[in-house]
Amino acid sequence: MPEPEKALDELAVQLRGEKSVISPHVRDPDGEAPALGMLAAGGPRAADAPSEYAILFESIREGYLLHYARPRVVDGADDDLALLAGDYLYARGLERLASLGDLEAVRELSDLISLVAQLHAANHASPAPGDGSGALWLAAAVAVAAGAPPGHANAKQALRAGDPGASTALWDGAASIAAGVGLAERLGGAADSIGFRAPS
């Protein structure tokens, strides 16, 4: 299995090899770093299978991008196929996670998928600055890597309820856990990769 740094390349290889309706639309990721996957793979909870964690996290991220933004691996699909491909990549990531026996992370990433859908619906499919989706992605990656901080569930519930302070709470919790397990630099790199600015 390739190193976590090659997660996007490996995802492309796997999707091509599946010979599905998605396969003809798979392209090379052109050097984009799988920063969120590397963050999720870098902690103690992922230590037994870091490459698997990186790939499955990036699969879920690619599913999200197919629904709401510009994907990195699946390109040129029409709108209907993009939605189906996004759903498939969500399910693929969760299935791979379940096969590792990590039900806690399955719950975390299921929450992530449902919450980002809610945020995008509230903003008519366009992310709004400070809507909390960036902090949510980072907090989920840290929770998968090293466990959720105290108050994480409450911060997600606050985000679901539209509390403007939820993004700060998610970021602060993620930053605290990341610092404690040596992932602060990876957290910063992942934040940069998705254009997230830490609350001041």
Side-chain angles (χ1 to χ4, degrees):
M1 183 69 69
E3 294 300 309
E5 292 81 0
K6 298 291 187 183
L8 283 174
D9 298 287
E10 180 60 19
L11 179 60
V13 167
Q14 292 177 7
L15 291 175
R16 281 194 194 100
E18 290 173 0
K19 305 292 186 195
S20 70
V21 294
I22 301 171
S23 299
H25 300 284
V26 175
R27 67 175 174 89
D28 292 329
D30 295 330
E32 288 198 51
L36 284 166
M38 289 166 57
L39 175 59
R45 296 191 71 258
D48 289 341
S51 294
E52 280 287 341
Y53 275 88
I55 293 166
L56 69 86
F57 203 96
E58 290 297 342
S59 179
I60 291 171
R61 179 67 179 179
E62 187 74 4
Y64 164 82
L65 294 174
L66 278 158
H67 281 201
Y68 304 113
R70 185 184 67 81
R72 303 152 303 171
V73 174
V74 180
D75 191 34
D78 64 33
D79 290 347
D80 290 338
L81 181 56
L83 286 174
L84 289 172
D87 289 345
Y88 170 71
L89 285 165
Y90 280 158
R92 185 181 193 277
L94 292 174
E95 186 275 330
R96 292 173 81 91
L97 190 53
S99 73
L100 294 171
D102 193 345
L103 299 184
E104 183 180 337
V106 170
R107 284 190 292 274
E108 182 64 41
L109 295 184
S110 296
D111 276 357
L112 169 67
I113 291 167
S114 68
L115 263 169
V116 294
Q118 178 182 328
L119 292 172
H120 280 271
N123 291 302
H124 307 290
S126 298
D131 73 348
S133 60
L136 181 62
W137 276 99
L138 296 164
V142 170
V144 168
H152 181 64
N154 290 339
K156 289 191 292 185
Q157 188 57 39
L159 186 63
R160 196 178 296 280
D163 183 340
S167 181
T168 299
L170 285 165
W171 168 258
D172 288 348
S176 174
I177 293 292
V181 295
L183 289 176
E185 187 174 336
R186 284 196 189 193
L187 176 61
D192 289 344
S193 78
I194 62 172
F196 177 81
R197 288 178 173 263
S200 53

